[in-house]
Amino acid sequence: SDAGSSVDEMEFNWDEYLEDTGATAAPHGSFKHVDTSLQNGFAPGMKLEVAVKSDQNTYWVATIITTCGQLLLLRYDGYGEDRKADFWCDIMTADLHPIGWCEQNKKILKVPEGIKDKIPDQQEFLQRVLKGACSAPANLLEGLHRGKNPLDLIAPGSRLELQNIRDSLEAWIVTVVENVGGRLKLRYEGLEDSDKFDQWLFYLDPFLHQVGWAAQHGYSLQPPSAIRSLRSEADWQEILKKVKEEEEESSVPTDLFKDKPVIGVHSFSEGMKLEAVDPVAPFVISPATVLKVFNDKYFMIEIDDLRADRPTSQSYICHVNSAGIFPVQWSLKNGLNLSPPPGYPGQDFDWADYLKQCSAEAAPQSCFPSLTSDHGFKENMKLEAVNPVDPEEVCIATVTKLKDSYLWLQLEGSKKPVPDCIVSVESMNIFPVGWCETNGYQLRPPRKAIVNKQKKIAVVQPEKQILSSRAVHDGLKNQELNSSDSVVINGKYCCPKIYFNHRCFSGPYLNKGRIAELPQSVGPGNCVLVLKEVLTLLINAAYKPSRVLRELQLDEEAAWRGHGETLKAKYKGKSYRATVEVVRTADRVAEFCRKTCIKLECCPNLFGPQMVLDKCSENCSVLTKTKYTHYYGKRKNKRIGRPPGGHSNLEVAIKKPNKRRKRRKHFFVHKKKRSSASVDNTPAGSPQGSGAEEEDDQDESELSHSLAQDRDKRKRKLRTFSFSDDENKPPLPKDIKMEVAEKLQLDSNPLEWSVADVVRFLKSTDCAPLARIFLDQEIDGQALLLLTLPTVQECMDLKLGPAIKLCHHIERVKLAFYQQFAN
């Protein structure tokens, strides 16, 4: 590392850095160019012919459900919306072919056994499903390109054409020196021994084209003026001749650029004034002039400079969608500083006076594209960004300001400090957290040392298993992990895009409104990072984030092959932390998402690698909440009695308001365990089922524990039952005493009370006005016996007085229960 850095570059860890700085990573879905670069040429909905696993001599038509690097998730046609038989396969090793291959090669198409009964007429079925179908491209399934991401075909030595954006519309040949995840290091043809004029551009840059583009569009191939004097005209012509002779072997596929932004028609005229950012030094916004209009696609602007002895012109070529050009007064309207032109008299720049002085007109608003604010970036988010002063550097960046679709980025760790950079949200020089690590490129670490704080996370027997560890498909071996746990396929991201299907049932833990505000998708990207981001979004979308964090926390005793990640939640001024398992390979992502959905008692399709378009395959919209939790809820019979001792790995940090900040005191709350089959059937809307809070999280198997104890001992403990055995429970005020009143005689066992029975009992007391809350939250007798004073205050939002009065009656029920039914 540099002399100014106190951090070893190799030891930088994004997770620790985000935790230490309290920042969040910009969502992966905000980087559209990265998303595009990960596409492998296959698309959901394409069909192909696949060998049937039970009989390798026969084939059947399958549809691509989702893609991930060289992996495809397939479903045999005939299974309809049934996802149970979906399987992953590796393009490089699986027996896959385009539609029509079997007929051409005299191979047998035969319905798989699992759907034989559903397809009585094979020929009629094939004619129907293949009518208008899109076959997977043959060149991606066979030959040299098989299994390769198209991006991988831009190898070192490949040639492209690059427009000169500084002084003309001419183009010249460039050779790819390096390809880092689609970011190309380019060297002008003819300068093989010099890297002085090398450039870094993302392969989707509008000014980068396949060889032959200039001739097709009427532009000349000429070396830029900056290098033209380095060789004679004869040498340049000889280089051009050599390139044309070797064109076939050094060319890249033409369809590689099909996803490039389309350049539209502009309406600028020469002499128009506007505001602009110099792309080479994007630190200030300055007045600029349309210097020249080349055609209906391209025009040149120049940053204004009024000095008589001004240096070289700061001019560059633009198109209608070029970033960093704004209408006159845009800075003023957005509260930003406009840097006056060098040589401008006075300090206060005024556009009206300036236009009169220059006898110029402002470019009308109609010349500029509409700016979008729907991008997912927020202030203080972290990402990775190219240093415009030194494009070799990719630095940690922090969003310091947002205006429309532009970000102000503070770069950390650059060799030479630079001001905040102004970039478009669609810039191809910004990348998501982890991009450098995934693509094997050095990220500049921050200058300030990061102290790895000791985390006090006690690990014992958590409540239940979060994942199944079985493979999702046959034949694909789980990829071995390297020491950094950065799992990639051919050096690329391996997690598919995860969709949030907002229409699906969100269950008792997740807030439907907050779920609707989540982005449509996250990823693709590194499996651990993408899934961690998904889980964090879900936790934050919960009614009570700490309750969801508890449901997700890792079960140490389970046989798991995932990766433990520390996730955090904040709720009512307290911070919670737990270790959660995520998977690290693409073949297990779909199963992970489904298992996690079931754990949270929501629709198994609520989030996952498959987008639900019109109708959910689980038909969750027509199921009631009670039925839904019965179908997908977590119902486990457990031994009566207290769970083994110790702490949970759910950590709580208490913040004391209105006091000078002190060192945080960490403590650990007990992990809840449901005590029996009967007690575990708490309705989804009850405090227990909907997330009774951790801060009043005394061991809720109190009831079962008491049942298993000696009766005399129970009676001695009876008065303090609701608050016993929890060292973290706040004591009641000294002037309040909870005393059990007159003896209550019950006609039935409270464990068997329905919600209606509970409501009926409350209406017979002086707490009758609270009965509506019990009805709305579906609190039955089992849940009633588990209520405590802190729980009542938290879940029902009651003040201390009414809460104590309510608990007085709950204590009466508990006492009667022990005396009449506990034995």
Side-chain angles (χ1 to χ4, degrees), residues 1 161 217-218 292 306 309 334 366 406 426 489 528 539 556 617 751 814 823:
S1 59
E161 290 182 3
H217 292 81
K292 186 177 182 180
L306 305 181
D309 56 344
N334 286 277
S366 59
Y406 285 84
E426 296 182 352
I489 296 175
V528 172
I539 290 169
E556 271 207 323
S617 61
L751 280 177
K814 291 177 180 177
N823 57 357

Side-chain angles (χ1 to χ4, degrees), residues 30-309:
S30 296
F31 303 88
K32 297 177 182 178
H33 60 298
V34 176
D35 192 351
T36 301
S37 72
L38 300 175
Q39 306 305 316
N40 59 7
F42 296 94
M46 287 182 175
K47 294 185 183 294
L48 60 169
E49 295 174 355
V50 187
V52 178
K53 288 182 286 186
S54 58
D55 185 356
Q56 293 295 325
N57 294 320
T58 64
Y59 296 79
W60 189 242
V61 176
T63 300
I64 298 174
I65 304 301
T66 192
T67 68
C68 179
Q70 66 190 50
L71 303 180
L72 301 178
L73 181 63
L74 303 177
R75 183 183 303 164
Y76 285 122
D77 282 16
Y79 276 97
E81 295 298 319
D82 187 358
R83 301 172 57 184
K84 295 185 179 63
D86 290 3
F87 59 98
W88 289 90
C89 65
D90 188 331
I91 302 168
M92 296 295 289
T93 59
D95 196 358
L96 309 174
H97 305 280
I99 296 298
W101 179 86
C102 285
E103 183 178 359
Q104 295 172 5
N105 293 274
K106 296 182 170 45
K107 299 291 183 180
I108 301 172
L109 276 173
K110 183 179 178 183
V111 183
E113 288 296 326
I115 50 174
K116 202 169 185 179
D117 297 339
K118 298 181 180 180
I119 305 176
D121 188 334
Q122 176 176 311
Q123 289 303 118
E124 184 274 334
F125 176 82
L126 287 175
Q127 288 178 0
R128 176 162 47 86
V129 299
L130 294 179
K131 185 177 181 179
C134 176
S135 172
N139 66 308
L140 298 179
L141 294 169
E142 302 164 354
L144 296 176
H145 294 175
R146 176 174 179 163
K148 288 188 177 180
N149 186 320
L151 187 60
D152 296 331
L153 302 178
I154 310 180
S158 300
R159 289 193 176 106
L160 299 165
E161 290 182 3
L162 175 63
Q163 287 178 257
N164 179 10
I165 68 166
R166 276 296 168 185
D167 55 15
S168 73
L169 272 186
E170 296 170 339
W172 187 242
I173 309 296
V174 288
T175 301
V176 177
V177 177
E178 193 175 352
N179 179 355
V180 180
R183 189 167 181 255
L184 308 178
K185 186 175 184 178
L186 304 170
R187 183 167 298 168
Y188 285 118
E189 194 71 29
L191 302 182
E192 289 78 7
D193 300 327
S194 172
D195 61 359
K196 181 180 179 181
F197 297 95
D198 286 0
Q199 297 185 55
W200 282 94
L201 287 177
F202 203 75
Y203 81 104
L204 294 174
D205 190 285
F207 289 94
L208 192 61
H209 313 278
Q210 70 269 25
V211 172
W213 174 87
Q216 293 172 7
H217 292 81
Y219 299 113
S220 62
L221 276 176
Q222 291 288 341
S225 57
I227 67 170
R228 197 170 299 171
S229 61
L230 299 178
R231 288 181 177 271
S232 66
E233 184 62 29
D235 288 342
W236 290 121
Q237 291 302 318
E238 187 64 29
I239 290 169
L240 196 56
K241 180 181 178 182
K242 177 186 175 185
V243 168
K244 290 182 178 179
E245 291 174 353
E246 300 173 353
E247 181 176 339
E248 186 172 339
E249 59 188 67
S250 64
S251 64
V252 297
T254 55
D255 61 350
L256 188 66
F257 300 97
K258 69 182 186 307
D259 296 315
K260 278 178 53 175
V262 177
I263 296 178
V265 175
H266 73 81
S267 55
F268 287 94
S269 300
E270 288 184 10
M272 284 183 173
K273 294 288 185 181
L274 65 158
E275 297 180 1
V277 176
D278 185 347
V280 177
F283 310 121
V284 296
I285 303 174
S286 307
T289 305
V290 177
L291 191 64
K292 186 177 182 180
V293 173
F294 292 99
N295 50 35
D296 61 355
K297 294 278 185 75
Y298 300 103
F299 57 96
M300 178 180 284
I301 72 167
E302 179 182 45
I303 304 297
D304 286 0
D305 190 335
L306 305 181
R307 293 173 295 182
D309 56 344

Side-chain angles (χ1 to χ4, degrees), residues 4 50 127 237 291 298 339 342 396 402 409 550 676 763 819:
V50 187
Q127 288 178 0
Q237 291 302 318
L291 191 64
Y298 300 103
S339 180
I396 295 169
L402 293 102
L409 298 180
R550 156 166 290 164
S676 65
K763 285 185 176 180
Q819 292 178 336

